[in-house]
Amino acid sequence: MSWIDIGHIDDIPLRGARRLKTHLGCVAIFRTDLGEVFATADRCPHKGGPLSEGIVHGQSITCPLHNWVFDLNTGQAKGEEASIPTYPARIVDQRILIDATQLTAQSAA
Amino acid sequence: MKQRLIVIGAGMASGRAIEHLVQAAPDAFDITLFNAEPRGNYNRIMLSPVLSGEKTYEQIVTHDDAWYARHGVTCRFGEQVVAIDRAAKTVTGENGTLPYDKLIFGTGSNPFIIPLPGHDLEGVIAYRDLEDTQAMMEMDAGRKVVVIGGGLLGLEAAAGMAARGAEVTVVHIMGHLMERQLDEAAGYLLKKSLEAKGITIRLQANSREILGQDGHVKALRLDDGTDLPCDLLVMAVGIRPNVALAQAAGLAVGRGIHVDDQLCTSDADVFAVGECVEHQGAVFGLVAPLYEQARVLAQTLLGEQAAFMQKSLSTKLKVTGCDLFSAGDFADGEGRENIVFRDPARGVYKRLVIENDRLIGAVMYGDTADGTWFFGLIKDGTDIAEMRDTLIFGPAYQGGDTADPLSAVAALPPEAEICGCNGICKSTITDAIAAGASDLGAIRATTKASASCGTCTGLVEQLLQVSLGDDFVMPTAQPVCGCCDLTHEDVRRLIKSQELKSQEAVWQELGWKTRNGCHVCRPAINFYLLADWPLEYQDDPQSRFVNERKHANIQKDGTFSVVPRMWGGITTPQELRAIADAADKFKVPTVKVTGGQRIDLLGVKGEDLPHIWADLNRAGMVSGHAYSKGLRTVKTCVGTDHCRFGTQDSTGLGIKLEQMLWGSWTPHKVKLAVSGCPRNCAEATCKDVGVICVDSGYQVSVAGAAGMDVKETERLADATSEQEAIDLTVAFIQLYRENAKYLDRPYKWVAKVGLDWVKARVVEDLHERARLIAAFELSQSVYRKDPWAEHAATAERYQPLADLTLEAAE
């Protein structure tokens, strides 16, 4: 694991999300009502909707375009044969850390 | 031969360590105890019962003079330690120097005093020792107190003084009370209980300064300018380990005095215990780990093997009537699942947090009887996969009961209003049921409840079922979504009758089955709350769909469209130039004229939004709300200004209506039109509200549609003056805002309640019309403003949080 500090927890609105630009495309960072953080691909596999613009409820995200719902833990879509990549993220002393092993892989190559 | 042991600080942890030593090996140590306070060890955590009068100071003394004498402990109380020489192994107090073989720091912690202007005024205290408690005990009836800090200690102080009759206000900077121990839902219930005890709670309140008079505290001033008068101000915002002496002695110190698993500091003969220590990055404030440290320290000093390990903690609040319990870790982490149970009738909330088939956290309010059992499961790491389905019901209840969907209605007080149209309260209906009314028709006939607009039908049916049980067969009603058992109409009615003013209140009191709703119910609840409580409830952008949160319409490729408002469809060359400049500057691929008489800029990138808005704002333009469930446009024709057929100033009336209504949130989008004559060039007869000007005045018609359905408007009334036309329109919109189901356009809502019901309120009852207009105006005092101007000021929120492609390149 290689944890990178990408910002303060309050940079993300409560029950909201922000985007992170990476070589793998945009990654969405979510903050739940309980202050948990999750990182997933920002792109909905259905029609490419930006998940970071969706509604965060519990540990789920609803895509803003056609209301597909994804579990933020597993990336699995509810009731659909589809999923989104998830990436390890955590909070340490109010700072958001994300595991950059995969996300910066291209630069190492 | 006896070893010489010096202990600095007579607190609960060092006291417990001495107890262990004198019991296990009474002849091993020659103990000297220094204490800056002129007294020995008392049970600090029982200060709250002393404050509330349930105990006296004498009852909470742990070690009295006789105890110290009996165990041969030399007491040097009221004496400060001034220096420690670790090389010579001596401690120097104000009254002389002593040698030691082993030294223990039990210096505890200091309360944190926020350095606000005026913090040194007389009457500003912390809540830490007996002196503070005595100052608070003087606060009885008629005295005003402000407590800064809504944590464990602050709330116990507040409750203690409130019990003595003082008028207490708690000021807390966070969004809910005890945020370190409780989640929002439990915090909401706690707030409700404390408010019932007469304590005022102000959340998200920032203190600015403390005002004084003649050197004594007079009031606390908040950031929003509010002054809270007080005779005493208690700061209970946290503690800091007291490390000054250890630092001066050259020991390794971080937040606290660094210790290893044996409580040994960086000096092998010096130990530390209690609130002054830092162990593996953590500092300690609750009593359980402190006692554990004391045990380990005593064993270490006696040459036994022992190690201190941090464990999960549980918390209980010592306030009578506030039953709460929290344990373990219930936040921060992925891969965790929640089980939530709410019983609105009993004011009960329970949440369990599960990770890898193990319980790792629990929060409970109202019914904490099973707390110890859950805490045991957390500490033992028990595999709960087998009992998962019934886990939340506790050890005694492994039968698999479910929450009663009717409990919200059952819990309503008898005077709660069920039928708003006819002013019928719950007891009137239950009396009618007791007198023999056994179905909806009978209730309508005897009480008139649900006989007018019908939106309370669901509630009346639930009352029938609660009262009659299986004798009443419930018609199936469509609940809002899977998160609850109530219909939209029921939820709206209950938000009004139970005065639910926050999302947490709705989740709890209406028995929501999820933590915070879903994308279906949360936008609806957010609207209902802001429509019914415009001043008390704050709009929550995170409960809105992307368009309303971003104040722009998302397009299929993730870009946005921007539509500035053109009042009544009127624009100027200067506005058109500004729009053209913005389109050039931000490389807008498509510029389109809309059906609502304005210009749409399509294909704007998300991060450019605040900048294009700022440019349009500078030219005097504001958001056209082309994205909102709110007023979109007022389409007009040119009326008497230019048209040879025009009968009234239709453009002027359209602009007035648009300026009156813009910014308001409604259940669904609202479009208006004003035509200057019956030729109807503005197509007013298919709008939500359409006005047609005629020689004799204005024909106001409502509930048209030209979308999924096509429907002609129905005449609401004829107005003789422009003002009357405006009044009828505003009253109609407000009635719609107060009563319609979220996402019902006006034509759907009018079809449900009937045009006659609407006319009775908007046209015939002039008092009600005036009330509706006043209620709308009150709401508009909050919402009639340009969201673009506000959002342009926080442009950084529209940018990516970070750019790893750049970091990687470096």
Side-chain angles (χ1 to χ4, degrees), chain A residues 10-11 13-16 18-22 33-36 38 53-54 56-59 62 69 73 89 107, chain B residues 331-332 334-336 351 515-517 519 522 540 542 546 549-550 796-797 799-805 808:
Chain A
D10 289 337
D11 292 337
L14 199 63
R15 288 181 268 102
R18 290 286 293 277
R19 277 179 307 127
L20 184 66
K21 280 193 176 174
T22 79
D33 58 326
L34 300 175
E36 305 148 324
F38 295 95
E53 306 286 5
V56 179
H57 48 101
Q59 294 182 328
T62 299
V69 178
N73 294 288
S107 67
Chain B
D332 294 333
E334 61 184 84
R336 291 182 180 177
R351 184 162 70 88
R515 215 160 84 187
N516 51 13
H519 65 272
R522 221 166 72 210
D540 173 30
Q542 302 308 325
V546 55
R549 187 172 350 109
K550 285 253 160 152
E796 74 280 0
R797 289 260 162 174
Q799 310 308 318
L801 182 58
D803 190 341
L804 295 188
T805 59

Side-chain angles (χ1 to χ4, degrees), chain B residues 13 37 89 151 188 252 312 455 500 510 549 569 597 607 633 662 691 714 740 776:
Chain B
E37 275 187 71
K89 297 183 85 169
Y188 157 76
S312 312
T455 54
L500 307 179
L510 305 187
R549 187 172 350 109
Q597 299 185 334
E607 49 261 48
T633 66
W662 81 292
V691 180
E714 299 170 62
F776 185 76

Side-chain angles (χ1 to χ4, degrees), chain B residues 150-161:
Chain B
L152 203 59
L153 218 50
L155 296 182
E156 290 187 1
M161 289 183 280

